[in-house]
mmCIF file of all heavy atoms in Angstrom:
data_model
loop_
_atom_site.group_PDB
_atom_site.id
_atom_site.type_symbol
_atom_site.label_atom_id
_atom_site.label_comp_id
_atom_site.label_asym_id
_atom_site.label_seq_id
_atom_site.Cartn_x
_atom_site.Cartn_y
_atom_site.Cartn_z
ATOM 1 N N ALA A 33 9.197 -10.408 -1.845
ATOM 2 C CA ALA A 33 10.501 -10.007 -1.271
ATOM 3 C C ALA A 33 11.172 -8.960 -2.099
ATOM 4 O O ALA A 33 11.664 -7.944 -1.683
ATOM 5 C CB ALA A 33 11.341 -11.239 -1.128
ATOM 6 N N LEU A 34 11.142 -9.193 -3.463
ATOM 7 C CA LEU A 34 11.763 -8.257 -4.367
ATOM 8 C C LEU A 34 11.094 -6.908 -4.346
ATOM 9 O O LEU A 34 11.714 -5.829 -4.289
ATOM 10 C CB LEU A 34 11.759 -8.753 -5.827
ATOM 11 C CG LEU A 34 12.781 -9.936 -6.062
ATOM 12 C CD1 LEU A 34 12.479 -10.491 -7.454
ATOM 13 C CD2 LEU A 34 14.167 -9.450 -5.958
ATOM 14 N N GLY A 35 9.745 -6.930 -4.405
ATOM 15 C CA GLY A 35 8.973 -5.672 -4.366
ATOM 16 C C GLY A 35 9.164 -4.975 -2.996
ATOM 17 O O GLY A 35 9.268 -3.800 -2.961
ATOM 18 N N GLY A 36 9.177 -5.745 -1.932
ATOM 19 C CA GLY A 36 9.365 -5.156 -0.565
ATOM 20 C C GLY A 36 10.692 -4.477 -0.464
ATOM 21 O O GLY A 36 10.789 -3.331 0.114
ATOM 22 N N GLY A 37 11.743 -5.041 -1.048
ATOM 23 C CA GLY A 37 13.053 -4.391 -1.012
ATOM 24 C C GLY A 37 13.005 -3.054 -1.767
ATOM 25 O O GLY A 37 13.576 -2.068 -1.387
ATOM 26 N N ALA A 38 12.359 -3.055 -2.982
ATOM 27 C CA ALA A 38 12.263 -1.869 -3.727
ATOM 28 C C ALA A 38 11.459 -0.768 -3.014
ATOM 29 O O ALA A 38 11.807 0.403 -3.007
ATOM 30 C CB ALA A 38 11.652 -2.191 -5.094
ATOM 31 N N GLY A 39 10.343 -1.189 -2.465
ATOM 32 C CA GLY A 39 9.474 -0.201 -1.718
ATOM 33 C C GLY A 39 10.228 0.351 -0.555
ATOM 34 O O GLY A 39 10.163 1.568 -0.245
ATOM 35 N N ALA A 40 10.928 -0.497 0.257
ATOM 36 C CA ALA A 40 11.626 -0.052 1.425
ATOM 37 C C ALA A 40 12.769 0.887 1.012
ATOM 38 O O ALA A 40 13.018 1.867 1.709
ATOM 39 C CB ALA A 40 12.173 -1.226 2.219
ATOM 40 N N ALA A 41 13.427 0.642 -0.111
ATOM 41 C CA ALA A 41 14.476 1.496 -0.590
ATOM 42 C C ALA A 41 13.916 2.912 -0.993
ATOM 43 O O ALA A 41 14.490 3.910 -0.691
ATOM 44 C CB ALA A 41 15.209 0.876 -1.822
ATOM 45 N N ALA A 42 12.722 2.867 -1.597
ATOM 46 C CA ALA A 42 12.111 4.175 -1.951
ATOM 47 C C ALA A 42 11.675 4.961 -0.698
ATOM 48 O O ALA A 42 11.851 6.152 -0.660
ATOM 49 C CB ALA A 42 10.843 3.896 -2.838
ATOM 50 N N ARG A 43 11.180 4.226 0.306
ATOM 51 C CA ARG A 43 10.822 4.925 1.576
ATOM 52 C C ARG A 43 12.106 5.466 2.228
ATOM 53 O O ARG A 43 12.088 6.596 2.688
ATOM 54 C CB ARG A 43 10.121 3.934 2.496
ATOM 55 C CG ARG A 43 9.765 4.605 3.851
ATOM 56 C CD ARG A 43 9.344 3.643 4.861
ATOM 57 N NE ARG A 43 10.119 2.447 4.603
ATOM 58 C CZ ARG A 43 10.091 1.358 5.344
ATOM 59 N NH1 ARG A 43 9.398 1.284 6.364
ATOM 60 N NH2 ARG A 43 10.773 0.336 5.085
ATOM 61 N N TYR A 44 13.192 4.739 2.210
ATOM 62 C CA TYR A 44 14.397 5.194 2.783
ATOM 63 C C TYR A 44 14.913 6.433 2.054
ATOM 64 O O TYR A 44 15.359 7.434 2.685
ATOM 65 C CB TYR A 44 15.451 4.100 2.804
ATOM 66 C CG TYR A 44 16.749 4.473 3.428
ATOM 67 C CD1 TYR A 44 16.874 4.740 4.776
ATOM 68 C CD2 TYR A 44 17.934 4.605 2.619
ATOM 69 C CE1 TYR A 44 18.087 5.123 5.331
ATOM 70 C CE2 TYR A 44 19.147 4.972 3.204
ATOM 71 C CZ TYR A 44 19.239 5.214 4.564
ATOM 72 O OH TYR A 44 20.417 5.612 5.106
ATOM 73 N N ALA A 45 14.815 6.370 0.757
ATOM 74 C CA ALA A 45 15.181 7.589 -0.046
ATOM 75 C C ALA A 45 14.352 8.810 0.356
ATOM 76 O O ALA A 45 14.863 9.902 0.441
ATOM 77 C CB ALA A 45 15.082 7.293 -1.512
ATOM 78 N N ALA A 46 13.031 8.562 0.582
ATOM 79 C CA ALA A 46 12.198 9.673 0.995
ATOM 80 C C ALA A 46 12.652 10.235 2.378
ATOM 81 O O ALA A 46 12.667 11.431 2.541
ATOM 82 C CB ALA A 46 10.727 9.240 1.070
ATOM 83 N N SER A 47 13.031 9.351 3.285
ATOM 84 C CA SER A 47 13.476 9.777 4.611
ATOM 85 C C SER A 47 14.789 10.552 4.523
ATOM 86 O O SER A 47 15.104 11.406 5.315
ATOM 87 C CB SER A 47 13.555 8.662 5.582
ATOM 88 O OG SER A 47 14.634 7.805 5.289
ATOM 89 N N LEU A 48 15.651 10.212 3.548
ATOM 90 C CA LEU A 48 16.955 10.947 3.371
ATOM 91 C C LEU A 48 16.671 12.296 2.716
ATOM 92 O O LEU A 48 17.298 13.301 3.075
ATOM 93 C CB LEU A 48 17.909 10.125 2.491
ATOM 94 C CG LEU A 48 18.438 8.851 3.163
ATOM 95 C CD1 LEU A 48 19.360 8.109 2.103
ATOM 96 C CD2 LEU A 48 19.243 9.182 4.391
ATOM 97 N N GLY A 49 15.735 12.298 1.742
ATOM 98 C CA GLY A 49 15.473 13.561 1.052
ATOM 99 C C GLY A 49 14.649 14.512 1.855
ATOM 100 O O GLY A 49 14.701 15.709 1.617
ATOM 101 N N TRP A 50 13.880 14.015 2.799
ATOM 102 C CA TRP A 50 12.986 14.853 3.659
ATOM 103 C C TRP A 50 13.035 14.356 5.035
ATOM 104 O O TRP A 50 12.092 13.764 5.534
ATOM 105 C CB TRP A 50 11.617 14.867 3.084
ATOM 106 C CG TRP A 50 10.633 15.767 3.738
ATOM 107 C CD1 TRP A 50 10.884 16.826 4.543
ATOM 108 C CD2 TRP A 50 9.193 15.740 3.558
ATOM 109 N NE1 TRP A 50 9.712 17.415 4.935
ATOM 110 C CE2 TRP A 50 8.687 16.811 4.317
ATOM 111 C CE3 TRP A 50 8.334 14.948 2.872
ATOM 112 C CZ2 TRP A 50 7.298 17.102 4.367
ATOM 113 C CZ3 TRP A 50 7.002 15.235 2.930
ATOM 114 C CH2 TRP A 50 6.463 16.227 3.693
ATOM 115 N N PRO A 51 14.194 14.537 5.672
ATOM 116 C CA PRO A 51 14.346 14.012 7.064
ATOM 117 C C PRO A 51 13.476 14.800 8.072
ATOM 118 O O PRO A 51 13.191 15.974 7.918
ATOM 119 C CB PRO A 51 15.864 14.193 7.408
ATOM 120 C CG PRO A 51 16.249 15.339 6.488
ATOM 121 C CD PRO A 51 15.404 15.269 5.253
ATOM 122 N N THR A 52 13.027 14.113 9.084
ATOM 123 C CA THR A 52 12.287 14.689 10.177
ATOM 124 C C THR A 52 13.282 15.260 11.170
ATOM 125 O O THR A 52 14.035 14.505 11.743
ATOM 126 C CB THR A 52 11.354 13.673 10.841
ATOM 127 O OG1 THR A 52 10.455 13.185 9.846
ATOM 128 C CG2 THR A 52 10.552 14.285 12.005
#
Side-chain angles (χ1 to χ4, degrees):
L34 289 171
R43 178 190 35 173
Y44 181 66
S47 71
L48 292 177
W50 187 12
T52 300

